[in-house]
Amino acid sequence: MGFSAHWLALREPADAAARDSALAQRAAALAGPAPLVVDLGCGTGATWRALAPLLPEATRWRFVDHDPELLARAGEAAGRDAELVRTDLADVGALPLDDATLITASALLDLVSEDWIAQLLRRLRVPFYAALSYVGRMEWTPEDPRDAVVAAAFDQHQGGDKGFGPALGPAAAERCARLLEAAGFTVETAPSPWRLGSDQVALQRALVEGVATAAAEAGIEDALAWGARRQALAARTRCTIGHLDLLAIPDGLPQGGA
């Protein structure tokens, strides 16, 4: 499962506005005085752009992704601060987590399986900050009679295999939180919804295209027609897409830092 640089660029301003600032600051504080941040599924470096201003100047970053083009873009953005690791994210045992003081991921949990999360949990010894997981809320103004049907089909499609086994989809953040708590982590969460208006027409249209295509693949015959109507209305549409940010703190870690 991969994302284009174009899609990541379109969504980054909405992600930046949605990301819960207090939880991001907590994650940065817990990284310690000389952080090494391992960013899983780094894309073009959006998590770095969000967290770097909150971290010490000497912070080291290890970007991890399977896409060499995205890795290169992240490395260009972060410069000498970044170590680039190309690997299969599905192979949890191969993830380069050694010496990390904070592990991060953005828009990743809803793509992975429960088994993937369980494997990651067995390797976690430091705080884990996972932002912008889709939670299944999709609201549009003005409404369309098919909104709910299409959204339900999209959520069903999100449960397919995205390269990590059967994905948890909209249930991912909540399920991950419960697994982390059972493993002895203290878990803090905060909503981070996208709130898109007429100033984000390009993102709305790209989002609608993806939702409509997924719903069509899930068996909704008029999903593409729904998408065409939604795209035509994008310039005067508001929508809310639900996400959740999560911060997990290992048992015994001082609450002020690693």
Side-chain angles (χ1 to χ4, degrees):
M1 177 69 180
F3 296 103
S4 71
H6 175 67
W7 166 249
L8 295 177
L10 274 180
R11 68 171 291 166
E12 186 166 344
D15 285 341
R19 193 184 292 265
D20 184 80
S21 60
L23 210 62
Q25 290 168 8
R26 285 276 290 134
L30 289 165
L36 170 58
V37 182
V38 176
D39 188 25
L40 303 178
C42 66
T44 61
T47 303
W48 172 80
R49 281 184 283 275
L51 289 190
L54 308 176
L55 289 160
E57 287 188 12
T59 299
R60 293 176 295 145
W61 284 79
R62 184 178 295 152
F63 291 146
V64 184
D65 209 298
H66 75 286
D67 187 316
E69 178 186 349
L70 298 182
L71 267 176
R73 293 194 181 205
E76 289 171 4
R80 63 183 182 181
D81 294 337
E83 171 190 354
L84 308 183
V85 180
R86 184 185 179 192
T87 191
D88 181 3
L89 293 169
D91 185 356
V92 178
L95 296 178
L97 307 183
D98 293 348
D99 302 320
T101 63
L102 175 68
I103 296 170
T104 64
S106 294
L108 178 66
L109 289 187
D110 45 354
L111 305 178
V112 305
S113 64
E114 182 164 338
D115 180 64
W116 188 94
I117 292 173
Q119 289 184 59
L120 181 66
L121 266 176
R122 289 194 284 272
R123 298 195 60 197
L124 274 183
R125 301 292 184 272
V126 298
F128 177 48
Y129 170 62
L132 300 158
S133 299
Y134 173 64
V135 294
R137 179 188 174 201
M138 194 179 297
E139 298 174 356
W140 306 85
T141 305
E143 296 180 358
D144 182 286
R146 300 296 283 168
D147 287 347
V149 171
V150 170
F154 174 77
D155 288 354
Q156 176 188 340
H157 187 275
Q158 288 297 94
D161 191 334
K162 305 298 189 293
F164 302 89
L168 286 170
E174 183 67 24
R175 183 59 183 149
C176 185
R178 300 291 79 78
L179 290 170
L180 285 159
E181 288 173 341
F185 286 73
T186 298
V187 177
E188 302 174 14
T189 61
S192 52
W194 280 359
R195 302 188 190 278
L196 309 182
S198 58
D199 57 332
Q200 293 158 304
V201 170
L203 176 57
Q204 280 202 45
R205 287 178 173 157
L207 169 67
V208 164
E209 180 181 2
V211 170
T213 299
E217 291 175 358
I220 304 301
E221 293 182 0
D222 60 348
L224 298 182
W226 170 89
R229 291 194 301 273
R230 277 266 161 246
Q231 288 186 319
L233 287 171
R236 55 188 182 91
T237 294
R238 299 191 310 276
C239 73
T240 299
I241 308 297
H243 298 99
L244 192 73
D245 293 354
L246 175 152
L247 175 62
I249 307 166
D251 183 39
L253 185 74
Q255 297 295 299

